[in-house]
Amino acid sequence: MVTPAKPVLRAAKPVLRAAGVRKSFGALEVLRGVDLTISAHQVVCVIGSSGSGKSTLLRCCNLLERIDSGTIELFGHDLGDERIDEDLVRRHTGMVFQAFNLFPHLNVLDNVTLGPRRVLRLQRGLAEQRAQEMLARIGLADKAAEYPDRLSGGQQQRVAIVRSLAMGPRLLLLDEVTSALDPELVAEVLDLVGELAHQGMTMLIATHEMGFARDVANTVCFLEGGVIVESGPPERIFGDPTEQATRRFLQRIVNAGRL
């Protein structure tokens, strides 16, 4: 995969700021004081073992889960405010899950246009025109009339990403988007995400793909036990981490042949 150059970042008001975020499920405390800031056009990759809290963190950022304490501000708005409009938050924060979550009874074109037509109130013709253009850019124009069960896993995940992009989100949350794919299908999805990074899409990505995180991220955060142990540019995190926990984790990744 040819990796495009990362965009140059400029100082801007943070898109998302988390401070002291805690979240428990019963007696299990999953997030134990997470601090995180994401600026416009920045790509932040969160790495860590399964169960470290990566998915929960992303779900808290668009109110699929409510935090127990701490604060999360999205575009300067406190997500802990009971008056906040959850639908508006999710309109501006697209999320793509591990499972593709496409509607099986709708074809590709209808999957992509449903949100713009129902939520953004776009006329069907305009929504379909935009969807066709987006599908053409990812090489799936000929699949517009197909149903999800006629697509490969990689194709379904690319459609799921396009469906989120069709809503014009200002922040894209990607939760282990390659974990359900066969190895030979991973590259086509990572290529698309890499292109989005190059185009300046602001993204928070939970991933097990270390090489991908190293190539596309502006900042890499290592999450362990619900705490961000270490964060910084990928060159430092992967080349010269300062924390022993980070070094142990990366050594396991190297030993497994994944970096």
Side-chain angles (χ1 to χ4, degrees):
M1 180 179 71
V2 178
T3 303
K6 300 173 190 176
V8 176
L9 298 182
R10 296 176 175 82
K13 185 176 181 180
V15 168
L16 183 140
R17 176 179 292 156
V21 171
R22 291 179 175 270
K23 174 64 181 177
S24 297
F25 297 97
L28 178 63
E29 191 173 27
V30 179
L31 300 178
R32 300 189 299 113
V34 170
D35 299 316
L36 177 67
T37 300
I38 304 175
S39 299
H41 312 301
Q42 188 177 23
V43 178
V44 175
C45 284
V46 182
I47 63 173
S49 303
S50 297
S52 60
K54 302 188 299 298
S55 295
T56 299
L57 175 60
L58 266 63
R59 292 173 65 86
C60 289
C61 290
N62 73 344
L63 295 179
L64 288 176
E65 300 288 353
R66 289 279 187 167
I67 64 175
D68 297 326
S69 62
T71 60
I72 298 179
E73 292 183 357
L74 183 67
F75 314 117
H77 299 283
D78 182 3
L79 295 189
D81 190 333
E82 294 183 355
R83 299 167 297 176
I84 199 147
D85 186 337
E86 294 184 1
D87 292 333
L88 188 60
V89 168
R90 293 175 192 141
R91 173 178 165 181
H92 292 292
T93 55
M95 186 160 185
V96 185
F97 300 87
Q98 300 177 35
F100 319 125
N101 288 352
L102 298 176
F103 296 112
H105 63 291
L106 299 180
N107 64 26
V108 166
L109 189 62
D110 286 339
N111 263 283
V112 175
T113 60
L114 182 63
R117 289 191 289 111
R118 294 283 182 87
V119 179
L120 303 183
R121 304 298 182 188
L122 289 185
Q123 293 184 347
R124 178 182 288 272
L126 178 57
E128 290 186 349
Q129 176 186 341
R130 292 181 177 178
Q132 291 279 17
E133 291 172 354
M134 297 175 75
L135 290 170
R137 288 202 295 270
I138 65 168
L140 292 179
D142 61 333
K143 303 296 184 182
E146 297 284 3
Y147 287 83
D149 63 357
R150 300 288 299 272
L151 304 179
S152 71
Q155 290 171 333
Q156 290 187 62
Q157 194 61 288
R158 284 150 64 198
V159 171
I161 293 172
V162 166
R163 182 175 62 176
S164 288
L165 294 175
M167 295 294 292
R170 298 168 63 188
L171 171 65
L172 191 59
L173 306 170
L174 301 174
D175 183 17
E176 302 286 5
V177 293
T178 61
S179 65
L181 300 178
D182 293 332
E184 64 269 21
L185 302 177
V186 169
E188 62 188 58
V189 174
L190 296 185
D191 280 344
L192 173 57
V193 178
E195 290 173 15
L196 295 175
H198 181 59
Q199 293 164 8
M201 172 63 70
T202 308
M203 291 187 280
L204 175 60
I205 304 172
T207 184
H208 286 301
E209 301 288 341
M210 298 299 119
F212 169 73
R214 179 185 56 202
D215 291 340
V216 306
N218 304 109
T219 299
V220 173
C221 301
F222 171 55
L223 188 66
E224 183 176 70
V227 176
I228 294 179
V229 174
E230 185 171 3
S231 65
E235 296 82 4
R236 185 180 65 76
I237 296 298
F238 290 110
D240 188 25
T242 59
E243 298 296 326
Q244 183 64 32
T246 312
R247 292 196 291 270
R248 285 197 305 266
F249 171 76
L250 291 175
Q251 188 58 56
R252 293 198 301 269
I253 296 297
V254 170
N255 293 341
R258 291 168 49 203
L259 183 61

